Amino acid sequence: MSTENGVEAVEGSAESLEPVLDVILHYVTLGIEVAAAIIIAISVAVAFIGYIRTMSRRQKEVSKGEVVRFRLAGGLLLALDLVVGSDIIMTILDPSAEDLIRLSVIVAIRIILGWSLSKEISGHSEDILRK
């Protein structure tokens, strides 16, 4: 047992697990952010390829372009949700008043972006189903 400022810490206590938990959560958030970046890259690549295919076929159908945008918006929305979760986990690790305010602003902006993307997706899916 070690003593610090007259307080005894028992081996295996929560204080000794805190640094290990910090490292684990850091790697978890890093993995989540990498997954979000991969999802964005794949979504953009698929959308670009779909756009090129649509343009090369010279089709007059608008629905093909709408499908491309629908898939891109879906991928971006998934990545956005992952990054918000990662930010929440990082704030849990070392919360300060400034970090909580910053997280609140980021989450508010991302909620607005997520809402607009979901409206875009639902609007385009209804348009595609009508055609």
Side-chain angles (χ1 to χ4, degrees):
M1 285 193 249
S2 64
T3 59
E4 229 177 83
N5 297 331
V7 179
E8 292 186 14
V10 179
E11 258 185 68
S13 67
E15 290 177 4
S16 64
L17 291 177
E18 202 170 304
V20 174
L21 187 59
D22 285 350
V23 170
I24 290 171
L25 288 178
H26 176 72
Y27 283 118
V28 167
T29 57
L30 180 65
I32 291 170
E33 290 174 0
V34 167
I38 290 170
I39 290 169
I40 291 171
I42 290 172
S43 297
V44 169
V46 167
F48 182 72
I49 291 169
Y51 177 74
I52 297 299
R53 291 171 112 187
T54 301
M55 298 312 273
S56 67
R57 291 183 186 158
R58 295 183 183 177
Q59 295 176 347
K60 300 282 183 179
E61 297 177 25
V62 178
S63 64
K64 295 290 183 183
E66 299 296 321
V67 170
V68 170
R69 288 180 47 178
F70 176 75
R71 288 184 183 158
L72 177 62
L76 292 177
L77 191 57
L78 175 61
L80 187 63
D81 290 339
L82 288 174
V83 173
V84 168
S86 173
D87 284 344
I88 291 170
I89 292 172
M90 286 302 291
T91 302
I92 289 171
L93 290 176
D94 188 23
S96 68
E98 183 180 322
D99 290 337
L100 291 174
I101 292 170
R102 186 180 317 135
L103 178 65
S104 300
V105 170
I106 289 171
V107 168
I109 291 169
R110 289 185 176 156
I111 286 172
I112 293 168
L113 287 173
W115 177 78
S116 66
L117 280 173
S118 64
K119 291 297 266 185
E120 178 99 7
I121 289 172
S122 65
H124 289 300
S125 62
E126 289 173 5
D127 290 343
I128 291 170
L129 290 175
R130 286 185 205 151
K131 293 179 181 183

